[in-house]
Amino acid sequence: MVCLHYSYFHICWCSDSYRIGGFSQKHVFITGCDSGFGNLLARQLDQKGFRVIAGCLTEKGAADLAAATSPRLKTLLLNVTDSASIRSVVEFVRREVGERGLWGLVNNAGRSVPIGPTEWMQLEDFAKVLDVNLIGVIDVTLQFLPLLKKAKGRVVNVASILGRLSLIGGGYCLSKWGVEAFSDSLRRDMQHFGIKVSIIEPGFFKTGVTSVDLINADLKRLWARLPQDVKDSYGATYLDNYIRMQGFSMNILCSPDISKVTWCMEHALTAQHPRTRYGAGWDAKFFWIPLSYLPSFVSDFVVNVLLPSPKDKASS
């Protein structure tokens, strides 16, 4: 029995470690490269010889990345909520890759806010996040599929552990659950054409998406527009308690080592046999993902520990 277990893990390890070759002939397009995961991945792949094309939202982000990388890396301005912007980028990439096609597409662009209690949201608050994190991913992927089919390439979609556990209100968790579902259906449909699809599920990391200052400023905006009766039901100190407890949790949970995520992305692009899902970070692997398999009352308890209760909380 011990020998069988050893053989199984040895086969898995060997399969996981086999890599493709010819990096210098492979093009990879990455969205959201101004900072964070996308920025580091672009630099990482550039150093390994890939022909990286990096989509950035701002001119400054594009200029800073270009200055930090080789002349081989190309930067483009891209707004993933604008189909015309995506079409323009696809045309540029088509000219760059020629008949080889596009080896890798990494859908990394994303936003977090508005997040907070669901009752504080309006419909447009959900739309702001879904347009970037889900509809943008779908639009970019659909427009790049013909180039990916030519190369029998890879699609790497950045979801989150919040695509398994809905820990907070707003559009973020909804969008990441959507990315999980879209990626699963895409993987099954495109496997017939040799395209492999991988999902990255990061835990909590220090990036622009998890910026406490950004989240707190938006929470104050949401609170300020609430009707007085809704504010009264939460209590005068609820916002301050929410910000304090969320900040405390984020400071403990968020890892500064974002290379744990970009290593997963790189593996999905370079492994002979990429994984379907990558849990990125120790918190994802050993806490959040296991928690997602437990009964809902357990995750409800965790959320209740991490966030305050409203003043008018109903008794059980």
Side-chain angles (χ1 to χ4, degrees):
M1 183 62 72
V2 173
C3 289
L4 285 174
H5 280 294
Y6 174 79
S7 299
Y8 172 77
F9 286 115
H10 180 70
I11 290 168
C12 289
W13 181 85
C14 288
S15 174
D16 211 41
S17 63
Y18 291 145
R19 294 291 191 273
I20 60 164
F23 292 176
S24 64
Q25 299 302 310
K26 288 179 165 57
H27 290 79
V28 177
F29 180 74
I30 310 166
T31 69
C33 291
D34 297 72
S35 61
F37 303 145
N39 185 278
L40 179 57
L41 179 66
R43 290 185 281 119
Q44 200 169 301
L45 295 181
D46 179 57
Q47 289 173 0
K48 292 186 179 296
F50 277 95
R51 296 182 177 274
V52 177
I53 305 172
C56 297
L57 182 61
T58 66
E59 291 184 0
K60 182 180 186 307
D64 289 348
L65 179 58
T69 52
S70 76
R72 187 175 52 247
L73 182 143
K74 304 284 195 335
T75 60
L76 298 172
L77 293 181
L78 171 66
N79 179 353
V80 299
T81 67
D82 181 352
S83 287
S85 174
I86 298 169
R87 280 195 297 273
S88 175
V89 166
V90 171
E91 285 305 312
F92 178 90
V93 173
R94 179 178 285 112
R95 293 192 296 270
E96 286 289 309
V97 303
E99 289 305 308
R100 283 193 299 266
L102 180 65
W103 173 254
L105 168 63
V106 182
N107 282 305
N108 165 75
R111 65 175 292 168
S112 57
V113 296
I115 57 174
T118 301
E119 189 180 15
W120 298 12
M121 302 292 160
Q122 296 176 2
L123 185 60
E124 58 265 28
D125 295 318
F126 289 95
K128 286 176 188 175
V129 180
L130 290 166
D131 283 348
V132 176
N133 293 5
L134 180 57
I135 304 302
V137 168
I138 295 170
D139 198 356
V140 169
T141 303
L142 292 178
Q143 294 203 43
F144 271 113
L145 274 181
L147 297 179
L148 289 159
K149 286 174 75 173
K150 275 188 178 181
K152 295 183 173 62
R154 309 284 173 86
V155 179
V156 182
N157 289 334
V158 180
S160 168
I161 56 94
L162 295 179
R164 287 175 175 256
L165 281 168
S166 191
L167 300 180
I168 197 162
Y172 189 80
C173 295
L174 276 68
S175 69
K176 295 305 182 179
W177 281 73
V179 169
E180 294 269 355
F182 173 68
S183 302
D184 280 338
S185 58
L186 180 71
R187 183 185 69 256
R188 295 181 182 116
D189 292 340
M190 301 313 295
Q191 65 184 346
H192 307 292
F193 302 99
I195 295 175
K196 294 181 170 67
V197 180
S198 296
I199 305 167
I200 312 297
E201 299 174 330
F204 287 88
F205 289 88
K206 289 186 188 297
T207 67
V209 168
T210 57
S211 166
V212 172
D213 290 341
L214 174 70
I215 294 170
N216 288 349
D218 198 67
L219 281 169
K220 291 174 182 176
R221 178 187 68 85
L222 296 174
W223 175 263
R225 74 182 186 191
L226 289 176
Q228 191 58 48
D229 63 316
V230 175
K231 289 182 181 179
D232 291 343
S233 70
Y234 284 87
T237 63
Y238 184 83
L239 175 64
D240 290 338
N241 291 338
Y242 193 102
I243 288 174
R244 176 176 53 79
M245 292 179 71
Q246 181 172 257
F248 178 77
S249 300
M250 295 289 270
N251 286 332
I252 291 175
L253 293 171
C254 288
S255 167
D257 183 11
I258 65 173
S259 67
K260 291 186 176 75
V261 178
T262 58
W263 180 90
C264 295
M265 295 171 165
E266 182 184 322
H267 187 274
L269 292 166
T270 61
Q272 287 279 8
H273 305 286
R275 304 173 201 169
T276 300
R277 282 176 166 77
Y278 293 81
W282 295 115
D283 63 323
K285 288 184 175 76
F286 296 112
F287 186 70
W288 300 115
I289 292 175
L291 181 62
S292 72
Y293 291 105
L294 295 178
S296 295
F297 75 83
V298 180
S299 56
D300 290 351
F301 173 79
V302 171
V303 173
N304 289 335
V305 168
L306 294 175
L307 294 172
S309 297
K311 177 177 70 70
D312 291 351
K313 176 182 176 181
S315 56
S316 301

